[in-house]
């Protein structure tokens, strides 16, 4: 099933998300649905709050970029109850967008590497290191679980410059090539 995507201003994007208890929901089905929803919107990542569910789960797919960056080979994954427990010292800027903020792109500063623990859709545990684009995508999706979006990380000046755009989202003034609500 393809879900409509929740737009900036919705409470689901501001609330912190709760951990998922094993066998409490069909995470395999939800993972498949979230990946399908992300694919239909041409997204690189999608967090559960973006489909209105405040649970700690997100999906990513940067595997189409594997030709340019071999580290992204197979980077189509589901992260459940993830915990980023270590950040690298280096930071850089990268232009980010978000399916919940259609048409808005801004440079966001983040650490370039992370270590993360999580379970996947088969409830298998993982403890992994990521850097580069993968670390960027994971941190963006992880923020959604904390009730944050990328514009929360902008400088006060940049925030001021996107204020009208953000206000527009809350009033339904945006266009998206996918189903929203
Ligand atoms: Ni996002």
């Amino acid at each position: 099933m393809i879900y409509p995507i929740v737009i900036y201003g919705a409470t689901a994007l501001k609330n912190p998300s709760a951990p998922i208890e094993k066998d409490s929901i069909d995470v395999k089905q939800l993972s498949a649905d979230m990946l399908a929803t992300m694919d239909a919107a041409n997204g690189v990542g999608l967090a559960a709050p973006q489909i209105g569910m405040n649970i700690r789960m997100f999906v990513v797919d940067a595997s189409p970029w594997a030709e340019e960056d071999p580290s992204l080979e197979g980077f189509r994954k589901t992260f459940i109850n993830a915990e980023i427990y270590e950040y690298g010292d280096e930071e850089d800027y990268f232009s980010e967008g978000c399916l919940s903020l259609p048409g808005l792109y801004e440079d966001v500063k983040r650490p370039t590497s992370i270590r993360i623990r999580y379970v996947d859709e088969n409830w298998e545990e993982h403890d992994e290191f990521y850097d580069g684009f993968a670390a960027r995508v994971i941190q963006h999706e992880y923020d959604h679980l904390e009730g944050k979006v990328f514009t929360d990380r902008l400088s006060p000046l940049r925030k001021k410059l996107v204020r009208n755009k953000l206000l527009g989202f809350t009033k339904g003034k945006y266009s998206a090539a996918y189903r929203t609500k």
Side-chain angles (χ1 to χ4, degrees):
M1 147 176 198
I2 293 185
Y3 287 91
I5 291 175
V6 162
I7 297 298
Y8 180 92
T11 53
L13 294 176
K14 296 177 205 161
N15 290 337
S17 288
I20 300 174
E21 273 178 55
K22 192 172 190 245
D23 300 325
S24 64
I25 55 166
D26 187 348
V27 287
K28 262 193 180 169
Q29 183 62 52
L30 185 55
S31 163
D33 288 347
M34 286 176 65
L35 285 164
T37 300
M38 177 183 74
D39 290 345
N42 274 317
V44 185
L46 181 77
Q50 293 182 276
I51 54 166
M53 296 184 191
N54 281 120
I55 53 176
R56 297 189 71 85
M57 176 161 170
F58 61 85
V59 296
V60 299
D61 186 4
S63 60
W65 285 274
E67 229 166 88
E68 295 145 58
D69 178 352
S71 76
L72 298 172
E73 188 74 55
F75 190 64
R76 181 175 172 89
K77 287 172 183 259
T78 300
F79 293 79
I80 298 167
N81 296 343
E83 187 199 349
I84 299 178
Y85 66 93
E86 204 179 296
Y87 292 89
D89 293 330
E90 243 176 81
E91 294 184 314
D92 67 356
Y93 282 91
F94 193 84
S95 175
E96 293 190 20
C98 180
L99 294 176
S100 294
L101 290 77
L104 183 62
Y105 299 89
E106 286 288 326
D107 286 343
V108 180
K109 187 161 97 169
R110 296 186 190 272
T112 58
S113 67
I114 55 161
R115 287 185 189 277
I116 186 169
R117 277 188 285 261
Y118 65 98
V119 294
D120 62 22
E121 72 279 18
N122 300 309
W123 216 265
E124 275 166 32
E125 290 176 28
H126 300 270
D127 187 332
E128 294 166 353
F129 171 85
Y130 287 102
D131 61 4
F133 189 57
R136 169 69 55 171
V137 174
I138 290 171
Q139 289 177 80
H140 174 113
E141 300 312 324
Y142 191 84
D143 269 357
H144 281 299
L145 308 181
E146 308 288 318
K148 271 191 206 139
V149 293
F150 73 90
T151 50
D152 294 326
R153 295 195 174 273
L154 300 178
S155 70
L157 174 65
R158 291 307 309 174
K159 251 184 211 164
K160 228 176 211 171
L161 292 171
V162 301
R163 200 175 53 189
N164 279 337
K165 198 117 195 207
L166 294 181
L167 204 62
F169 289 134
T170 67
K171 293 177 174 166
K173 282 191 212 148
Y174 61 87
S175 70
Y178 40 88
R179 202 151 63 91
T180 62
K181 73 168 184 187

